Amino acid sequence: SDASFQIRHFTSKVRGGFTEFEGTIQADPAKAEMSSVVFTIKTASISTHNADRDKHLQSPDFFDAAKCPDISFKSSQITAAGKDKYDVKGTLTMRCVSKEVTIPVAFTGMVADPWGNDRAGFEITTKLNRKDYGINWNKALDAGGSILADDVDVFINLEAVKKKPEAAKK
């Protein structure tokens, strides 16, 4: 699984991601409206492959990882939006600010792995405005414009393993 992003930085795009995240999906393929998802990312696990930038992104200028250690999403409604596509509405909390959002999710398939597990794949590609969550830091450039864009492209690819039923207790 992967939770990553990219944002315009000066004239190019910087990519980054998070190395610590977890989630739970309760899925009913026949009734999407009976499904739910909870997903949490640890903000201190941010990595852009630049230690100084990562430290700055963890600071109060950006994610404020000490005060707001998690980015979280909890669904409130899931509706079918086409073949293997869903609109997942819920509360996204980032930098301690919560907003209702609808995230497009693609189901990429289910397969039995060689170890006897059922694996399901999901893909999310969306755009968020960082300022909606109080992530306002930026610097104006002498030639016009600013260092950072407001919009951030978000990419999440999940490979979920179906939990096996617990053995009957004696």
Side-chain angles (χ1 to χ4, degrees), residues 23 25 28 32 55 62 65 69 73 91 98 102 109-111 126 132 161:
I25 300 166
D28 185 338
K55 185 176 178 182
F62 289 93
F73 178 80
T91 303
S98 298
T102 300
M110 172 136 349
V111 66
T126 194
D132 290 346
V161 178

Side-chain angles (χ1 to χ4, degrees), residues 89-122:
K89 182 178 180 181
T91 303
L92 175 63
T93 302
M94 184 166 35
R95 200 174 184 274
C96 299
V97 175
S98 298
K99 300 273 184 190
E100 287 292 315
V101 298
T102 300
I103 298 173
V105 177
F107 172 66
T108 58
M110 172 136 349
V111 66
D113 71 21
W115 304 278
N117 299 302
D118 291 324
R119 292 180 183 262
F122 301 91

Side-chain angles (χ1 to χ4, degrees), residues 26 28-36 75-80 86:
Q26 299 289 332
D28 185 338
K31 296 179 184 174
E33 67 276 5
M34 300 302 292
S35 300
S36 65
S75 68
S76 58
Q77 180 181 19
I78 299 176
T79 54
Y86 300 89

Side-chain angles (χ1 to χ4, degrees), residues 57-79:
L57 289 169
Q58 292 175 30
S59 80
D61 284 344
F62 289 93
F63 289 106
D64 201 357
K67 182 179 171 190
C68 307
D70 298 324
I71 297 170
S72 64
F73 178 80
K74 182 176 182 181
S75 68
S76 58
Q77 180 181 19
I78 299 176
T79 54

